[in-house]
C-alpha cells in the first residue's frame, strides 16, 4: 500500500509516532509553498518517501490511499478529487462539514468500488470494545453524560479578533465539530441513532465556543458536552439501575474505566498503553487489503447518521458554514 498525506498539522505529526507499525510501503506528503519547510522537515524526521506540491500530480501517481488531514472545510473537495482519481480516502474527523457532502462522497465511492473512512479512533480502541460489552452489566440504562472540555489556546486569539480555523464558521469550526464530535461518536457507537436530539450552545461571532447536545433515547437520556472556552476535570459516566461506568479521560484517549456496582463493589478495566491512532489505521489498511466492504459500510453508515445529528444541532442554534450554502 502507498499512502498520500494531505497536510502537516498536529494530527499528522501525532500519527507519525506510530507510523512504523503500519503495513505501508511508501508515504508521500502534500505541502504548499507556505508549508514547504515544515513538509520537508516531516519527510526527513520520519524518513518518508517524498513530497508533492501539486495535488493533481499526487493523484496521477500510483498512491492507493489518500489521508485528508486538512481543515474541516476542505475535507469534501479534496476527498472528492481523490475518489474521482481512483483512490481510497481516510478523512480526519469530522468527516465532512455536513451530511450532504458525505452522501455525495459515498455515491462516488460506491460507483468506483472505493472505500471511505472517518478517522475517529474511538471505535477501534480495545477499551471501547470492552466497554461496549460491559454495558450489559449496568442493567437498564438511565443517564449518559460525556464531557470533553478543553480550554483552547486559540480562544485567547479569537477573543482578540484573530480567528483561526478552529473558531471560524467559514472553515466549519466550532466546539461541536472539534470536540463534541468525539462524545457523539462514542454515544451513538454504543446506543445507535437517538429518537431526538437538541443542541444548546454558547455562540460568539457566529460560532459555538462551547455547547451541550441532549439526546432522547426513549428509555434513557444522554448529554454530550464540548467546550473550547472553558475546562473542567474530565468525567464520563454511563448510569444504569444496577451499576455505572466511569471514565476519567476524554473518550478518544480511553485506556481504562471502572464499573461501580450498586452493592459497593467495583471493577477496574485497564488496557495496554499503546498509541491511540495505531488501532484505527491498522484496521483501515486491513479493510482495504481484504476488501471488507461490509465492515467499512457499517462504520460509514454510523458516520453519516452522526453527520445528520450534528447538522440538525447546528441548525437549531443557527450555526451556518460556508459549505452549507
Amino acid at each position: 500500500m502507498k499512502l498520500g498525506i494531505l497536510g502537516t498539522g498536529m494530527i499528522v505529526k501525532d500519527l507519525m509516532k506510530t507510523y512504523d507499525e503500519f503495513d505501508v510501503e511508501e508515504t508521500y506528503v502534500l505541502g504548499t509553498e507556505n508549508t514547504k519547510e515544515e513538509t520537508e522537515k516531516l519527510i526527513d524526521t520520519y524518513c518518508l518517501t517524498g513530497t508533492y506540491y501539486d495535488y493533481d500530480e499526487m493523484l496521477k501517481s500510483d498512491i492507493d490511499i489518500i489521508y485528508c488531514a486538512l481543515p474541516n472545510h476542505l475535507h469534501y473537495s479534496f476527498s472528492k478529487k481523490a475518489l474521482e482519481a481512483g483512490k481510497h480516502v481516510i478523512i480526519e474527523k469530522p468527516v465532512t462539514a455536513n451530511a450532504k457532502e458525505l452522501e455525495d462522497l459515498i455515491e462516488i465511492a460506491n460507483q468506483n468500488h472505493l472505500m471511505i473512512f472517518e478517522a475517529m479512533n474511538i471505535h477501534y480502541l480495545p477499551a471501547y470494545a470492552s466497554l461496549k460489552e460491559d454495558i450489559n452489566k449496568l442493567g437498564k440504562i438511565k443517564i449518559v453524560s460525556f464531557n470533553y472540555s478543553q480550554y483552547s489556546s486559540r480562544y485567547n486569539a479569537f477573543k482578540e479578533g484573530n480567528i483561526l480555523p478552529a473558531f471560524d464558521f467559514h472553515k466549519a469550526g466550532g466546539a461541536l465539530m472539534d470536540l463534541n464530535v468525539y462524545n457523539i461518536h462514542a454515544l451513538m457507537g454504543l446506543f445507535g441513532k437517538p429518537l431526538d436530539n437538541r443542541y444548546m450552545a454558547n455562540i460568539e461571532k457566529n460560532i459555538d465556543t462551547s455547547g451541550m447536545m441532549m439526546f432522547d433515547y426513549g428509555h434513557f437520556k444522554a448529554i454530550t458536552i464540548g467546550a473550547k472556552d472553558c475546562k473542567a476535570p474530565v468525567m464520563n459516566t454511563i448510569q444504569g439501575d444496577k451499576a455505572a461506568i466511569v471514565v476519567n479521560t476524554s473518550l478518544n484517549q480511553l485506556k481504562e474505566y471502572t464499573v461501580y456496582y450498586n452493592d459497593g463493589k467495583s471493577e477496574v478495566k485497564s488496557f495496554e498503553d499503546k498509541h491511540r491512532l495505531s488501532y484505527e489505521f491498522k484496521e483501515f489498511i486491513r479493510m482495504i487489503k481484504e476488501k471488507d466492504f461490509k465492515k467499512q459500510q457499517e462504520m460509514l453508515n454510523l458516520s453519516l447518521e452522526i453527520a445528520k445529528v450534528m447538522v440538525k444541532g447546528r441548525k437549531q442554534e443557527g450555526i451556518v458554514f460556508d459549505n452549507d450554502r
Side-chain angles (χ1 to χ4, degrees), residues 211-320:
M212 55 183 70
M213 185 88 80
M214 293 171 288
F215 296 81
D216 182 4
Y217 277 92
H219 60 290
F220 75 90
K221 314 304 174 190
I223 186 169
T224 66
I225 301 168
K228 296 173 68 64
D229 56 6
C230 58
K231 67 177 182 179
V234 174
M235 179 181 283
N236 299 292
T237 58
I238 306 170
Q239 299 167 224
D241 62 2
K242 292 183 179 178
I245 287 175
V246 177
V247 182
N248 289 314
T249 62
S250 57
L251 293 161
N252 66 325
Q253 304 278 354
L254 180 60
K255 294 173 184 173
E256 182 178 290
Y257 61 88
T258 305
V259 184
Y260 292 95
Y261 296 95
N262 288 354
D263 63 4
K265 294 178 181 177
S266 63
E267 182 182 10
V268 178
K269 294 288 187 77
S270 297
F271 297 82
E272 61 181 331
D273 189 13
K274 202 170 183 180
H275 196 286
R276 65 190 179 88
L277 300 182
S278 65
Y279 300 102
E280 61 173 348
F281 271 81
K282 282 181 180 177
E283 182 63 3
F284 296 155
I285 292 167
R286 181 201 68 77
M287 281 189 263
I288 291 170
K289 285 191 169 184
E290 297 179 10
K291 295 182 172 59
D292 189 351
F293 281 94
K294 183 179 179 181
K295 177 67 174 178
Q296 182 261 346
Q297 194 62 52
E298 176 188 326
M299 301 311 300
L300 196 53
N301 289 342
L302 178 61
S303 290
L304 182 57
E305 287 299 334
I306 289 167
K308 290 176 180 178
V309 160
M310 290 172 67
V311 168
K312 179 180 176 180
R314 283 197 296 110
K315 284 184 177 179
Q316 289 165 342
E317 284 290 35
I319 303 164
V320 181

Side-chain angles (χ1 to χ4, degrees), residues 7-32:
T8 57
M10 288 173 57
I11 192 67
V12 173
K13 295 180 180 71
D14 204 15
L15 178 66
M16 288 299 105
K17 296 173 185 175
T18 188
Y19 171 76
D20 289 341
E21 297 182 31
F22 306 146
D23 188 12
V24 175
E25 300 163 34
E26 298 178 11
T27 299
Y28 299 85
V29 178
L30 178 72
T32 66

Side-chain angles (χ1 to χ4, degrees), residues 93-108:
K93 68 82 194 167
V95 62
T96 50
N98 57 55
K100 177 66 179 68
E101 289 183 340
L102 182 53
E103 287 172 338
D104 193 32
L105 295 183
I106 290 170
E107 184 177 349
I108 297 167

Side-chain angles (χ1 to χ4, degrees), residues 81-101:
K81 286 191 77 169
L83 291 168
E84 290 172 341
K87 316 296 183 185
H88 303 288
V89 290
I90 298 169
I91 309 172
E92 194 47 57
K93 68 82 194 167
V95 62
T96 50
N98 57 55
K100 177 66 179 68
E101 289 183 340

Side-chain angles (χ1 to χ4, degrees), residues 76-206:
Y76 170 72
S77 57
F78 277 78
S79 298
K80 182 178 181 180
K81 286 191 77 169
L83 291 168
E84 290 172 341
K87 316 296 183 185
H88 303 288
V89 290
I90 298 169
I91 309 172
E92 194 47 57
K93 68 82 194 167
V95 62
T96 50
N98 57 55
K100 177 66 179 68
E101 289 183 340
L102 182 53
E103 287 172 338
D104 193 32
L105 295 183
I106 290 170
E107 184 177 349
I108 297 167
N110 289 342
Q111 289 171 355
N112 293 280
H113 305 290
L114 295 167
M115 292 189 175
I116 303 170
F117 305 95
E118 180 173 14
M120 174 55 70
N121 71 302
I122 288 172
H123 304 293
Y124 307 94
L125 298 173
Y128 184 72
S130 174
L131 188 150
K132 263 187 170 180
E133 294 180 2
D134 281 345
I135 291 290
N136 297 320
K137 298 177 178 178
L138 307 187
K140 292 182 179 179
I141 304 301
K142 296 296 184 179
I143 297 289
V144 180
S145 176
F146 292 160
N147 187 343
Y148 194 171
S149 296
Q150 181 175 280
Y151 190 87
S152 172
S153 59
R154 297 176 179 88
Y155 183 58
N156 291 332
F158 175 77
K159 288 190 290 185
E160 293 169 5
N162 180 15
I163 300 175
L164 298 167
F167 287 101
D168 192 344
F169 71 90
H170 295 298
K171 297 181 179 178
L176 179 64
M177 299 291 277
D178 190 38
L179 295 181
N180 216 351
V181 62
Y182 287 112
N183 296 324
I184 296 169
H185 265 273
L187 179 72
M188 291 179 61
L190 292 172
F191 301 109
K193 182 180 176 181
L195 299 176
D196 196 12
N197 65 283
R198 177 76 172 91
Y199 192 43
M200 295 195 300
N202 293 311
I203 308 290
E204 298 180 46
K205 301 172 186 174
N206 301 309

